Amino acid sequence: MMECVKHGHEIVALANLKPPTSSNKDELDSYMYQTVGHDAIHYYAECMDLPLYRREIHGTPIHQEYEYVATEKDETEDLYTLLQDILKDHPDVQGVSVGAILSNYQRVRVEHVCDRLGLKSLAYLWERDQKELLSEMADKGVQAILVKVAAMGLKASHLGKTIAEMYPYLCELNEKYESHICGEGGEYETFTLDCPLFKKRIVA
């Protein structure tokens, strides 16, 4: 989102997809969405003073071929419905901020949904050098902490550490195991406590 603002776009709403309440799960096995930390997403809306639109994820990754086609009960369709909700209240919205860096699976599906709704997918981080990108994020004041680890070399003791604190070690793991420095392979997940777009910090 910071890159969107940098390129002259105005953020008017936040969108989030979460696990169904009936599932009693905090995390889903989704190819599309990060659900770890979803119970604290409302703080983003408070810190940015923006409306937050949410829907439950009822679909699963049914259509897994590279080129996506609209498929009933696929999790991609939950994004389509969520963005429809936003367009009803904000018909002037023209684009969607996308944080994909390396996943063609995610990029293709977001672009497909955007095309169907007449929106532009704004993926300013796409194929950025991850070592350079993570360093830039930390330098620009993104205080994101690790809330999940799932890769060789990452331990429970790393949870709660910021990306700035973890940067040298993540680079070291990349050299050793070719892991993704920005966690694009699911190596870790983060939750942002503060960034230049926040009007106030989330207290952790």
Side-chain angles (χ1 to χ4, degrees), residues 113-132:
V113 167
C114 285
D115 287 345
R116 289 157 62 192
L117 293 170
L119 299 171
K120 184 173 179 59
S121 173
L122 304 172
Y124 290 111
L125 305 184
W126 182 247
E127 293 189 335
R128 283 281 307 274
D129 178 272
Q130 293 187 47
K131 187 174 184 178
E132 177 185 276

Side-chain angles (χ1 to χ4, degrees), residues 11-194:
I11 302 170
V12 298
L14 304 177
N16 175 257
L17 287 156
K18 61 181 180 178
T21 304
S22 59
S23 70
N24 293 316
K25 294 181 179 179
D26 288 327
E27 183 179 8
L28 295 180
D29 186 17
S30 169
Y31 292 1
M32 281 288 291
Y33 314 115
Q34 174 186 329
T35 54
V36 176
H38 75 88
D39 52 341
I41 286 293
H42 63 280
Y43 289 121
Y44 286 0
E46 292 178 19
C47 291
M48 296 180 71
D49 194 22
L50 290 171
L52 171 64
Y53 292 79
R54 305 192 76 184
R55 269 191 175 267
E56 294 184 346
I57 302 168
H58 292 292
T60 55
I62 295 172
H63 190 97
Q64 298 182 24
E65 287 79 6
Y66 179 80
E67 293 296 338
Y68 181 74
V69 294
T71 303
E72 188 178 356
K73 296 184 179 180
D74 188 281
E75 62 180 352
T76 303
E77 298 307 304
D78 292 312
L79 176 61
Y80 179 83
T81 305
L82 177 59
L83 294 180
Q84 277 186 318
D85 290 344
I86 296 175
L87 283 169
K88 288 175 186 175
D89 292 343
H90 303 275
D92 293 334
V93 165
Q94 298 177 342
V96 177
S97 174
V98 183
I101 301 170
L102 199 62
S103 172
N104 271 308
Y105 184 93
Q106 294 172 357
R107 179 185 61 80
V108 165
R109 280 151 182 76
V110 173
E111 288 179 353
H112 189 279
V113 167
C114 285
D115 287 345
R116 289 157 62 192
L117 293 170
L119 299 171
K120 184 173 179 59
S121 173
L122 304 172
Y124 290 111
L125 305 184
W126 182 247
E127 293 189 335
R128 283 281 307 274
D129 178 272
Q130 293 187 47
K131 187 174 184 178
E132 177 185 276
L133 177 58
L134 195 66
S135 175
E136 183 180 300
M137 289 168 66
D139 290 345
K140 288 187 175 180
V142 177
Q143 294 183 24
I145 59 170
L146 272 63
V147 293
K148 177 186 175 182
V149 292
M152 188 175 294
L154 290 175
K155 307 171 184 177
S157 59
H158 293 129
L159 295 173
K161 292 188 179 297
T162 66
I163 55 173
E165 292 172 323
M166 289 296 297
Y167 180 74
Y169 188 59
L170 291 170
C171 291
E172 182 182 321
L173 293 181
N174 170 256
E175 293 177 6
K176 277 186 179 180
Y177 309 118
E178 296 186 351
S179 57
H180 297 284
I181 295 174
C182 287
E184 279 294 280
E187 290 87 350
Y188 64 91
E189 305 285 3
T190 62
F191 186 84
T192 300
L193 299 179
D194 199 9

